[in-house]
Amino acid sequence: MNSSNWRQHMMLGLLAAGLTLAGLALSDGPRASGEGATQQAAEDTPWAERAVRRDPALATVRGALSAGDLKRLVAYGEMLFAAKFTTADGAGRPNATQAIIPTKRRRPSQQMFARLSGGDAASCAACHNDPVMGGAGDFSANAFVSEGFAQADFDTTDPQFSNERNSNHLFGAGLVELLAREMTADLQALRTRALREARTSSQPVTVKLETKGVAFGELVAKPDGVVDLDRIDGVDEDLVIRPFSQKGVIVSLRQFTINALNHHHGMQAEERFGARWTGEADFDGDGRTREVTTGDVTALVAWQATLAVPPTLKPTDARWRTAAASGSKTFDAIGCADCHRRALPLRSTVFRDPGPYDSAGTLRDGESPDGVAFDLAQLPSVNALPRNADGHILVPLFSDLKRHQMVDRTVDRLGNELIAQRFVAPSVFQTSELWGIASTAPFGHRGDITTLDEVIRAHGGAARTSRDRYIGLGDADRSSVIAFLKTLVLPK
C-alpha cells in the first residue's frame, strides 16, 4: 500500500470509528454541568455543526511511535487540515488579532471573516490545495502578512501595512525541517568551538560558518566571550536556520501551524493562547476554551511532516526528455544550482515534535511530556532517496535554506514589499525550494508571475549573474531549462 493509499485508508477507518484515536491526548477536558452540559450534549450529536470531534476518554501517546500509531496520528492530522472550522469549534477571534504574540484588538470584531488581517479561510486546505491537499494556492488564496509580532488590525491592501504572500506547498516539509535542525546544530557548534578556542588561546578566533556545503559567512569569537557577527550572511544572529515562509522566518512546522491556525481561522492553540501565557482560558473572547490542544497541533505537524517527497517527472515525450536532460546541465552551468542546491545531505530521518529551536509560545523539546518521535524513512518516497558515501540521505529540495538579496537597481520586480518581517529586510528572501515547482503556478512570493521564464528574469541582486546568463542563452537553451523545471512536480 503506497503512502497516499494508507493515508486514505486510515482516515476512512478513523471516520468510521468516530475519530477515536487511541492514545492521543485530544480531549476537550471535563464535561460541563447544567446549561453547559446541555450544550455539550447537543454538540455531540452526529449532526452537530462541529468540524472536530474528540473523545474525552482518549489516553496519551508519547515517545517513539509505532507504524500503526503514526498512521492513525497522521490520519487525524489530515482530518484537521481538511476540517472547515466553525464557531462551535472556536473559529473566529472577536477580541484578538492575527499577531504571533497574543494581542488584543482595539475593539471587538463585528465579522467572522476579513480578507486582510483575517480570519480569511475556513480550513487549511482552502489555501493549500493545488494540485492536491497540502499543495500550493492560486493568487486568490493569497494571505496578507504583517510584520508578525504584535501589529494591529488593518483593512487595506496598502503594502505599508502588510506583505501579500502566496501559499507555498508543504510536500517534503518534514525533511526540510530536519535539514534546518542539523544545519542549526552545526553552526552553533562552530560558534561554541570558536569561543572555547578563543578563551584557551586568549586570542580572537575567526571561524567560517559552513554546513552541508552552504556558507553563511564567518564570525569572530573573542577571549572575553563576545562574538562579532558583522560578517555572517543569510542567517539570523542566533544561527538558527528558519526554513519556512518565503522569508525564512518560521523555525518549525509546529510554529507555522500555531501561527496559521490563529491568523487564518481564529483557532487558538492552548500552548500559546491559553492561561499558561496569557492568564486567560479564552483569550480571544469567543466563548470557547481549549480550541486547539497540544495533541491537535502534534497531529497536524505529523500530517505535514509525512507528506511525500516531490518526485521528478519522467516525460513520455521523447523531445521533452531530451530537452530536460540538456536543460538540467544548463541549469548548473549558468549558476542556478549555486543557490538552488540540488540536494542537501541529511544525517537522521527521525522527526521529533516538539523540536529543539522554537521560541517562547511554541512548545520545545522537553517542555511537554507528550512529545512524539517517528522515522520519516518509513515513507516510501523517503526510503527511495539516494544516499551519499557517508550513508546520509540526499534530500532533493533545490535550495540552500539561506536568505539572499533578490533585488537591485535595475531588476526589482520582487521588491514590492515595504515592511520587514521578523527583522528580515523587504528585498531579502530565502532561496525557494524548486521541488514541485512545475505544479505550483503562479510563481513568486506574491503569486503574480505566470511563467517560469518570467520569474527567472525577475531574479536580481545575488541571483543577477545567473539571471543574465539565462537571458543570454539562445532560445533553444532557455527552453531546455524550462523543460527541466517542468519535470519537478508534486505527487498526484
Side-chain angles (χ1 to χ4, degrees), residues 172-193:
L175 293 176
V176 171
E177 182 168 341
L178 289 182
L179 283 168
R181 292 182 189 181
E182 289 188 354
M183 294 170 80
T184 297
D186 290 348
L187 295 178
Q188 293 186 348
L190 288 169
R191 180 184 60 195
T192 298
R193 188 182 314 149

Side-chain angles (χ1 to χ4, degrees), residues 64-80:
L65 300 184
S66 67
D69 279 342
L70 176 59
K71 289 179 181 179
R72 297 168 72 181
L73 177 61
V74 165
Y76 185 84
E78 183 171 28
M79 184 280 294
L80 291 174

Side-chain angles (χ1 to χ4, degrees), residues 50-99:
R50 295 183 67 178
V52 180
R53 305 295 181 95
R54 305 189 186 101
D55 184 343
L58 291 174
T60 300
V61 160
R62 56 171 63 98
L65 300 184
S66 67
D69 279 342
L70 176 59
K71 289 179 181 179
R72 297 168 72 181
L73 177 61
V74 165
Y76 185 84
E78 183 171 28
M79 184 280 294
L80 291 174
F81 197 89
K84 294 184 178 181
F85 301 115
T86 73
T87 52
D89 297 305
R93 41 180 168 78
N95 290 319
T97 74
Q98 82 287 358

Side-chain angles (χ1 to χ4, degrees), residues 187-207:
L187 295 178
Q188 293 186 348
L190 288 169
R191 180 184 60 195
T192 298
R193 188 182 314 149
L195 283 167
R196 187 183 303 118
E197 292 177 4
R199 186 168 57 250
T200 300
S201 67
S202 297
Q203 297 293 325
V205 173
T206 299
V207 61

Side-chain angles (χ1 to χ4, degrees), residues 432-457:
S432 297
E433 300 145 22
L434 295 185
W435 59 0
I437 192 170
S439 304
T440 62
F443 309 108
H445 58 267
R446 190 169 174 262
D448 57 356
I449 299 176
T450 62
T451 69
L452 290 167
D453 176 77
E454 287 176 285
V455 78
I456 294 171
R457 292 172 184 267

Side-chain angles (χ1 to χ4, degrees), residues 59 113 119 179 222 229 272 274 276 300-301 318 325 355 385 415 432 466 491:
F113 292 104
L179 283 168
K222 300 180 180 180
L229 298 167
R272 181 179 301 169
R276 177 190 181 203
L300 280 163
V301 168
L385 293 176
S432 297
S466 296

Side-chain angles (χ1 to χ4, degrees), residues 25 174 212 295 360 368 389 411:
K212 301 187 186 298
S368 170
V411 182

